[in-house]
Amino acid sequence: MSSLAEELRAIVGDRHVLQSEAEMAPYLVDWMGKYHGQAQLVVSPGTTAEVSDTVRACARHGAIVVPQGGNTSLSGGATPGSAGAVVLSTRRLRTLRRVDPVGNTITAEAGCILAEVQQAAQSAGRYFPLSLGAEGSCTIGGNVATSAGGVAVLRYGNMRDLTLGVEVVLPDGRLFDGLRDLRKDSTGYSLRDLFVGSEGTLGIITAATLRLFPTPRASVTAMASVEGLDQAVSLLNQINDHCGDRLSAFEYISGACLSVIAKHVPSAPLPLPAASDAVLIELTDSHADAPLAAMLEEQLVTASEAGLISDAVVAQNAAQAGAFWKVREAISEALVREGGSAKHDVAVPVSSLPEFVADADAAVQRVMPGARPVIFGHLGDGNLHYNLLRPVDAGNAFPGWDRVTSGVHAVVSQYRGSISAEHGIGQLRVGEMPAFKGEIELELMQRIKGLLDPQGLFNPGKLLPL
Amino acid sequence: MSSLAEELRAIVGDRHVLQSEAEMAPYLVDWMGKYHGQAQLVVSPGTTAEVSDTVRACARHGAIVVPQGGNTSLSGGATPGSAGAVVLSTRRLRTLRRVDPVGNTITAEAGCILAEVQQAAQSAGRYFPLSLGAEGSCTIGGNVATSAGGVAVLRYGNMRDLTLGVEVVLPDGRLFDGLRDLRKDSTGYSLRDLFVGSEGTLGIITAATLRLFPTPRASVTAMASVEGLDQAVSLLNQINDHCGDRLSAFEYISGACLSVIAKHVPSAPLPLPAASDAVLIELTDSHADAPLAAMLEEQLVTASEAGLISDAVVAQNAAQAGAFWKVREAISEALVREGGSAKHDVAVPVSSLPEFVADADAAVQRVMPGARPVIFGHLGDGNLHYNLLRPVDAGNAFPGWDRVTSGVHAVVSQYRGSISAEHGIGQLRVGEMPAFKGEIELELMQRIKGLLDPQGLFNPGKLLPL
């Protein structure tokens, strides 16, 4: 029997099978540098047929397969474990197969970069709304496999909502061709939705057909100071009720978070004082003449009269709008510079957000007195990045965060929330799945996994506990 | 061992177990009178716990369970076969558990009537958009189980898109509590989406949490004459591009269809001559002052100048808009009166609609020369009701339509379309599933069915071939 490496070379060509430590290194660590794994080789098939043949060869050899796209996971979902896996990189699956501006769809292979897909939509006079920090390097396959979120979910939905069809190489190497570009199809179980969000544990997504939208031609951006989350939720509610689908972003940044930005990222000056929490609001419209600024100003006046906001600035031009967004985008850098933070990507029903945060804050102080919440996120979707900084006097050798995370996630469960709103489970949260999902849901997931991947070779240890 | 009927009486109470022929009769025939079945009894549990106990008892006795909601299926999905099943009616599961206008969700039990849910949303100052002909009697459970569609899918999506969480009694009687009301949750396989559209074959949906939307406060409706589908698709494209999410309906009615309405339903007078095909366009907006009429008139002028439309009327008030919709709603009655029609609920990519119809028309003429297409439907979603009337000279004893349907569906498959865009598979299309889905997709569905319902007791013969 020939070696797996020899077989794979015959399938994809010599230079697309990497085996040296130096060549494999970038594939064996996640971009945060948090997870390190091992692999016997890294293989990069160039077509769906080559993916099929690669997977068949791996199955014959009983080799573990770890699919990897842009390697931007925040949960270690694409980094192999220690068992000498085959890392299957989708980077060469780069064909944009079809853009249909009349049907409002785009079909892209898994390795296409998100920003390329946005660009291709724009070139066709359409808009692909998924937008997130890693968009310059993350891939469509990874976006689908994690049901990625980002800043435009409020209006356009997450990657599950944006995905019309998928093409998947199953763990036995067969192709599930589900690349339908239909808006309506009531013909049985949605296999598509089984693969969306499956994090490479049920096969390899090789291509997806995605929804496109009319181009937003008008937009207005504002920042407003709010007393707290209660007021922020009321403001969201008011604007949503009157402006409807025009509301494309409603981001929350706590005062504590603003202070950290002011301290560490002077290139992102705050338009409003850090003494209050802030919300970043954006309205967009496909109609070029839509009077969005007047509409938003009217809403802000109403909110001010109702005592929901204490101050507000409406961007007067695109540069100013960009400066407001720069504040939002500076958060990650600011938290890194401050050092020693714990991250929680949680979601609860929007109406429960204020109570949830109060309860979570209390739970944190019980476990780690002095820990400093620096909360921000996609308030419009009920998705907060409930992050914490170590106590001011804790120094660099502060204790681990595990007990704090357990406390926060216990509160999430009380509110029937999510412990991973948009980052996936990966390695990071896999240990928490039994407590979070409960026996029946986890059992059904395990049995579906067993049905599609009876040998357990696909991305083991991710998403579902071994 | 006690009889199943005795056990069920003990669970739900005597009067909620029906066994006489007369009492059971309404549950054993679909509303079209097309499918007739048999049952050993009809049971109506009043709570989710009673559903669980009922299902456990049926499982112990090896009894077939056929879930039934409002019994409005167009595919025979809720009518039992000839094997003496237990019909499990959800009609007593009528509690509206929660309306959350801030979180924009409503949680309704399976037996709630769609119109009640619409009304409850309205009372809370919100909008539930699912709307279809049977809304006065169909139930939420059935809507979820078939991923129902209707006239507002273009803007708001179908029932799958509108469903955030489900509560399901599994075939073994256990409860899957997936009633999360989260907008974002990336924590593994979407079991929710497995049950949505499963037509009672994987368990019984007992409640669902659904999305609500801002109330539309402004609307405008117009009808326009178009030369044909090419022009209709171009018009859709133009309006969608400029009016974006405001476009809430774009319905197509062929000239042949208009003629049949004019002949049989004088109470629905045509605003435009039947010599041309027509489209019914509606824009809505949550902003009360939105200048929709001006916006739509501008679009129609542009379309006229581009030669896309030959005539148009914009409704001047709600009564006139209602009159336009009455034409759309008169189609079913008109076709029944004309007599002898075949129905096809198909979807293809919007951009393929004109070519698809040309090819389907040609296929029909080959099989049944003189058959008359009377096409209408949700053009904005690519979903046409591609219906046919028998040849004028065919009399009442015309030959069956099976070969015609095969011909039409073969063309649907060529265009990678759907043979059931919004009516489900039920009994009507189950025989076509192998050809339509292909081997791998059908096998995966069958294996999922076997995983959840190993005894094959839940709604056998529906959706999946036995």
Side-chain angles (χ1 to χ4, degrees):
Chain A
M1 188 164 162
S2 54
S3 80
L4 176 56
E6 283 166 19
E7 290 186 36
L8 296 183
R9 283 204 184 87
I11 294 165
V12 302
D14 283 349
R15 65 200 182 92
H16 302 303
V17 176
L18 312 178
Q19 285 189 283
S20 77
E21 239 175 81
E23 284 178 315
M24 292 200 295
Y27 298 86
L28 303 185
V29 59
D30 70 312
W31 76 274
M32 300 179 296
K34 189 168 172 183
Y35 299 99
H36 295 265
Q38 285 166 11
Q40 52 175 302
L41 59 84
V42 175
V43 59
S44 303
T47 65
T48 297
E50 286 184 11
V51 174
S52 257
D53 291 343
T54 296
V55 167
R56 276 183 224 272
C58 291
R60 276 195 305 274
H61 287 265
I64 285 171
V65 176
V66 177
Q68 190 177 97
N71 199 12
T72 62
S73 174
L74 290 167
S75 308
T79 310
S82 56
V86 167
V87 173
L88 195 161
S89 169
T90 60
R91 291 189 185 197
R92 291 181 61 226
L93 301 170
R94 286 290 283 272
T95 306
L96 273 171
R97 293 195 192 162
R98 183 162 184 251
V99 186
D100 175 359
V102 175
N104 279 306
T105 62
I106 187 167
T107 300
E109 292 189 349
C112 292
I113 305 294
L114 173 52
E116 292 172 353
V117 170
Q118 295 167 344
Q119 184 56 51
Q122 195 181 329
S123 300
R126 290 292 178 271
Y127 181 62
F128 183 65
L130 193 79
S131 176
L132 42 89
E135 63 195 27
S137 48
C138 66
T139 60
I140 290 299
N143 297 149
V144 175
T146 57
S147 191
V151 293
V153 175
L154 176 60
R155 175 165 183 168
Y156 296 101
N158 61 15
M159 198 61 167
R160 181 181 303 285
D161 303 308
L162 298 172
T163 302
L164 292 171
V166 290
E167 179 187 89
V168 182
V169 171
L170 302 173
D172 61 13
R174 292 188 300 172
L175 186 71
F176 164 56
D177 178 4
L179 274 187
R180 295 199 177 83
D181 44 353
L182 303 174
R183 303 288 161 154
K184 291 166 91 174
D185 181 23
S186 182
T187 58
Y189 314 152
S190 177
L191 299 180
R192 170 192 71 200
D193 285 294
L194 208 50
F195 294 107
V196 175
S198 64
E199 300 190 22
T201 63
L202 299 179
I204 295 180
I205 295 160
T206 49
T209 298
L210 309 168
R211 289 176 195 259
L212 298 180
F213 294 83
T215 304
R217 294 191 180 81
S219 78
V220 64
T221 308
M223 275 189 104
S225 290
V226 294
E227 274 306 301
L229 269 170
D230 262 324
Q231 289 75 13
V233 168
S234 296
L235 178 62
L236 166 69
N237 203 26
Q238 175 205 309
I239 296 181
N240 185 42
D241 193 27
H242 288 278
C243 303
D245 297 319
R246 294 176 189 85
L247 181 60
S248 58
F250 195 96
E251 298 284 310
Y252 170 81
I253 313 175
S254 68
C257 203
L258 291 171
S259 300
V260 180
I261 298 168
K263 181 174 168 191
H264 293 292
V265 192
S267 61
L270 305 185
L272 290 170
S276 299
D277 300 347
V279 290
L280 177 62
I281 306 161
E282 191 173 86
L283 306 184
T284 58
D285 201 305
S286 53
H287 205 272
D289 304 330
L292 297 183
M295 190 180 284
L296 186 51
E297 277 159 16
E298 182 195 337
Q299 292 300 319
L300 292 171
V301 168
T302 304
S304 178
E305 288 166 2
L308 298 180
I309 62 174
S310 57
D311 200 356
V313 257
V314 176
Q316 297 305 306
N317 50 48
Q320 213 176 348
F324 292 0
W325 274 105
K326 205 168 173 187
V327 173
R328 170 65 181 85
E329 289 151 11
I331 298 174
S332 294
E333 183 186 343
L335 294 183
V336 168
R337 285 177 190 266
E338 181 73 7
S341 73
K343 297 181 170 64
H344 306 98
D345 171 36
V346 306
V348 297
V350 173
S351 51
S352 303
L353 276 170
E355 280 176 89
F356 161 76
V357 168
D359 286 358
D361 285 353
V364 167
Q365 292 311 313
R366 280 193 298 274
V367 180
M368 190 183 285
R372 294 166 289 156
V374 277
I375 307 170
F376 64 98
H378 317 297
L379 189 137
D381 312 310
N383 174 201
L384 288 186
H385 298 300
Y386 184 86
N387 292 3
L388 299 160
L389 292 167
R390 67 178 192 281
V392 175
D393 54 358
N396 280 328
F398 65 101
W401 288 103
D402 286 358
R403 285 189 315 133
V404 177
T405 292
S406 299
V408 171
H409 285 178
V411 179
V412 170
S413 285
Q414 282 167 32
Y415 283 90
R416 297 184 65 83
S418 173
I419 59 169
S420 184
E422 60 177 12
H423 294 170
I425 295 296
Q427 305 179 45
L428 179 65
R429 301 287 177 219
V430 68
E432 300 179 55
M433 282 290 273
F436 175 62
K437 284 291 179 183
E439 194 183 337
I440 293 175
E441 190 165 0
L442 195 68
E443 179 203 307
L444 290 177
M445 284 192 192
Q446 296 274 22
R447 288 169 64 198
I448 289 169
K449 165 75 172 173
L451 188 153
L452 278 153
D453 181 22
Q455 293 191 81
L457 296 177
F458 266 70
N459 217 6
K462 320 290 172 57
L463 183 53
L464 290 169
L466 288 174
Chain B
M1 187 166 166
S2 54
S3 80
L4 176 56
E6 284 165 20
E7 289 185 37
L8 296 183
R9 284 204 182 87
I11 294 166
V12 303
D14 282 350
R15 65 199 183 94
H16 302 303
V17 177
L18 312 179
Q19 286 190 283
S20 77
E21 238 175 80
E23 285 178 316
M24 293 199 297
Y27 298 86
L28 303 185
V29 58
D30 71 311
W31 76 274
M32 298 178 297
K34 189 169 172 184
Y35 299 99
H36 295 265
Q38 284 166 11
Q40 51 174 302
L41 58 85
V42 175
V43 59
S44 305
T47 64
T48 298
E50 287 184 7
V51 175
S52 258
D53 291 343
T54 297
V55 167
R56 277 184 224 272
C58 291
R60 277 196 302 274
H61 286 265
I64 285 171
V65 176
V66 178
Q68 190 178 97
N71 198 10
T72 62
S73 174
L74 290 167
S75 308
T79 309
S82 56
V86 168
V87 173
L88 195 160
S89 169
T90 59
R91 290 188 185 197
R92 290 181 61 225
L93 302 170
R94 286 289 282 273
T95 307
L96 273 171
R97 294 195 192 163
R98 183 165 185 251
V99 186
D100 176 358
V102 175
N104 279 308
T105 63
I106 188 167
T107 300
E109 292 189 347
C112 292
I113 305 294
L114 173 52
E116 292 172 355
V117 170
Q118 295 168 344
Q119 184 56 51
Q122 198 182 327
S123 301
R126 290 293 178 270
Y127 181 62
F128 182 65
L130 192 79
S131 176
L132 42 88
E135 63 195 25
S137 48
C138 67
T139 60
I140 290 299
N143 297 150
V144 175
T146 56
S147 190
V151 293
V153 175
L154 176 61
R155 175 164 183 170
Y156 295 100
N158 62 15
M159 198 63 168
R160 180 180 304 284
D161 303 309
L162 298 172
T163 302
L164 292 171
V166 290
E167 179 186 270
V168 182
V169 172
L170 302 173
D172 60 13
R174 292 188 299 172
L175 186 71
F176 164 56
D177 179 3
L179 274 188
R180 295 199 177 84
D181 43 352
L182 303 173
R183 303 288 161 153
K184 291 165 90 173
D185 182 24
S186 181
T187 57
Y189 313 152
S190 178
L191 298 181
R192 170 192 72 199
D193 285 295
L194 207 50
F195 294 107
V196 176
S198 63
E199 300 191 21
T201 63
L202 299 178
I204 295 182
I205 295 160
T206 50
T209 298
L210 309 169
R211 289 176 195 258
L212 298 180
F213 294 84
T215 304
R217 293 191 182 80
S219 78
V220 63
T221 308
M223 275 189 103
S225 291
V226 294
E227 274 305 300
L229 270 169
D230 262 325
Q231 289 76 13
V233 168
S234 297
L235 179 62
L236 166 70
N237 203 26
Q238 176 206 308
I239 296 181
N240 185 42
D241 192 28
H242 288 277
C243 303
D245 297 320
R246 294 176 189 85
L247 182 60
S248 58
F250 196 97
E251 298 284 309
Y252 171 81
I253 313 175
S254 68
C257 203
L258 290 171
S259 300
V260 180
I261 297 168
K263 180 175 168 190
H264 293 292
V265 193
S267 62
L270 305 183
L272 290 170
S276 298
D277 300 346
V279 290
L280 177 60
I281 306 162
E282 191 174 84
L283 306 185
T284 58
D285 201 306
S286 53
H287 206 272
D289 305 330
L292 297 183
M295 190 181 281
L296 186 51
E297 276 159 19
E298 182 195 337
Q299 292 300 319
L300 292 171
V301 168
T302 304
S304 177
E305 287 166 2
L308 298 180
I309 62 174
S310 56
D311 201 355
V313 258
V314 177
Q316 296 305 305
N317 50 48
Q320 213 175 350
F324 292 1
W325 275 105
K326 206 167 172 188
V327 173
R328 170 66 180 82
E329 289 151 9
I331 297 173
S332 294
E333 183 187 342
L335 295 183
V336 168
R337 286 178 190 265
E338 180 74 7
S341 73
K343 298 181 170 63
H344 306 96
D345 171 37
V346 306
V348 298
V350 173
S351 50
S352 304
L353 277 170
E355 278 176 274
F356 161 76
V357 168
D359 286 358
D361 285 353
V364 167
Q365 292 311 314
R366 281 194 297 274
V367 180
M368 189 182 285
R372 294 166 290 155
V374 277
I375 307 171
F376 64 98
H378 318 297
L379 188 138
D381 312 309
N383 173 201
L384 288 186
H385 298 301
Y386 183 86
N387 292 4
L388 299 160
L389 291 167
R390 67 178 192 281
V392 174
D393 55 358
N396 280 327
F398 65 101
W401 289 103
D402 286 358
R403 285 189 316 134
V404 177
T405 293
S406 300
V408 170
H409 285 176
V411 179
V412 170
S413 285
Q414 283 168 31
Y415 283 89
R416 296 183 65 83
S418 172
I419 59 169
S420 184
E422 59 177 12
H423 295 171
I425 295 296
Q427 304 180 45
L428 178 65
R429 302 289 177 218
V430 67
E432 299 179 57
M433 282 290 274
F436 175 63
K437 284 291 181 184
E439 195 183 338
I440 292 174
E441 190 164 3
L442 195 67
E443 179 203 306
L444 290 176
M445 285 192 191
Q446 296 275 21
R447 288 170 65 198
I448 288 168
K449 165 76 173 172
L451 187 153
L452 278 152
D453 181 22
Q455 293 191 79
L457 296 177
F458 266 70
N459 217 7
K462 318 292 170 56
L463 184 54
L464 292 169
L466 288 174

